[in-house]
Amino acid sequence: MKKKIGLYFGTFNPIHIGHLAIANHLAEYSDLHEIWMVVTPHNPHKKKSSLLDNHHRYEMVYEATKNYPKIKPSDIEFKLPQPNYTVHTLAHLHQEYLAQYEFCLIMGEDNLKTLHKWKNYEVILENHDIYVYPRIASGEMDAHFIAHPKIHKIDAPIMEISSTYIRNSIAKNKGIRPLLSPEVWKYIDEMNFYKESIPTTI
């Protein structure tokens, strides 16, 4: 029997306790055997200039997950052409681990609402289960996704913590240590990350 691997994609800039809480919930309360935190080099929908270097974000994910046997960091997308798309990563993983693993996607409800805009989303839905955790988000859900047999709603805690908030708070010298694992906070503090001043808006 193949292991079911849940792929949790993100820039993780930085990874925070919200990411860990969702990953751990899925590892413990779903039929997924492992959760791979896939560090994305460049999301086509985000500005690349705001990202730390790939190896720094991967190191933070490694530090955050090293004490969770069911949660593992993945740098698989670092080796693929950029900008990359989820459908290409899934095809690569399917080819590389065909005999070992069955790959599933993990995403927030907000991302599910825009899934129809993803490159070749029909191919993803045809070949992979999607595990959806709740998010507070506006917008209508495509009727096609509401009762789709490949889409599984997970009753995970709602985590409304954002990496953007953490970065901005560090730049303003605000105390946000409770939102990061001790290992990640230590890494950010020692490397002096995110402390550059941010522009003020009127």
Side-chain angles (χ1 to χ4, degrees):
M1 182 179 174
K2 293 182 182 180
K3 268 188 175 181
K4 289 187 80 170
I5 307 298
L7 302 174
Y8 189 166
F9 290 82
T11 49
F12 301 120
N13 189 38
I15 186 170
H16 52 66
I17 61 167
H19 297 130
L20 288 175
I22 291 165
N24 186 69
H25 185 93
L26 283 152
E28 297 296 334
Y29 291 96
S30 74
D31 62 345
L32 297 170
H33 296 99
E34 291 180 1
I35 311 300
W36 291 7
M37 311 293 280
V38 182
V39 185
T40 57
H42 172 41
N43 183 323
H45 304 293
K46 292 186 178 180
K47 291 182 179 178
K48 193 169 184 177
S49 59
S50 67
L51 293 182
L52 290 181
D53 287 346
N54 294 340
H55 71 278
H56 287 308
R57 290 180 292 112
Y58 177 85
E59 185 64 25
M60 287 191 288
V61 173
Y62 169 79
E63 289 293 332
T65 60
K66 65 184 179 183
N67 295 319
Y68 296 85
K70 296 180 182 178
I71 307 174
K72 303 180 184 303
S74 172
D75 62 357
I76 188 67
E77 289 203 325
F78 293 178
K79 305 157 190 172
L80 300 176
Q82 301 301 324
N84 191 38
Y85 294 91
T86 303
V87 68
H88 297 155
T89 303
L90 288 167
H92 176 83
L93 288 169
H94 178 74
Q95 184 175 10
E96 187 165 337
Y97 297 104
L98 179 60
Q100 295 173 266
Y101 302 133
E102 174 188 345
F103 291 102
C104 310
L105 279 185
I106 296 168
M107 68 174 63
E109 195 171 353
D110 51 337
N111 284 327
L112 182 62
K113 290 179 179 179
T114 60
L115 181 62
H116 62 283
K117 297 179 181 178
W118 288 29
K119 184 179 181 66
N120 297 344
Y121 81 91
E122 303 96 336
V123 175
I124 295 175
L125 264 179
E126 183 180 342
N127 295 292
H128 303 276
D129 285 324
I130 298 178
Y131 289 71
V132 180
Y133 58 87
R135 292 291 299 269
I136 299 171
S138 59
E140 294 296 319
M141 184 75 69
D142 191 310
H144 178 58
F145 300 149
I146 292 174
H148 197 285
K150 291 273 194 178
I151 295 175
H152 313 281
K153 296 285 189 71
I154 303 298
D155 188 24
I158 296 178
M159 305 298 294
E160 291 298 314
I161 304 170
S162 80
S163 296
T164 300
Y165 171 78
I166 289 171
R167 293 195 305 272
N168 289 346
S169 295
I170 292 172
K172 294 174 182 176
N173 204 29
K174 301 296 183 182
I176 46 78
R177 288 180 68 171
L179 302 182
L180 302 166
S181 70
E183 297 87 354
V184 171
W185 168 254
K186 182 182 177 184
Y187 191 84
I188 290 172
D189 191 48
E190 288 179 350
M191 300 297 291
N192 211 36
F193 286 146
Y194 308 127
K195 292 184 180 178
E196 70 279 1
S197 60
I198 57 174
T200 57
T201 57
I202 300 175

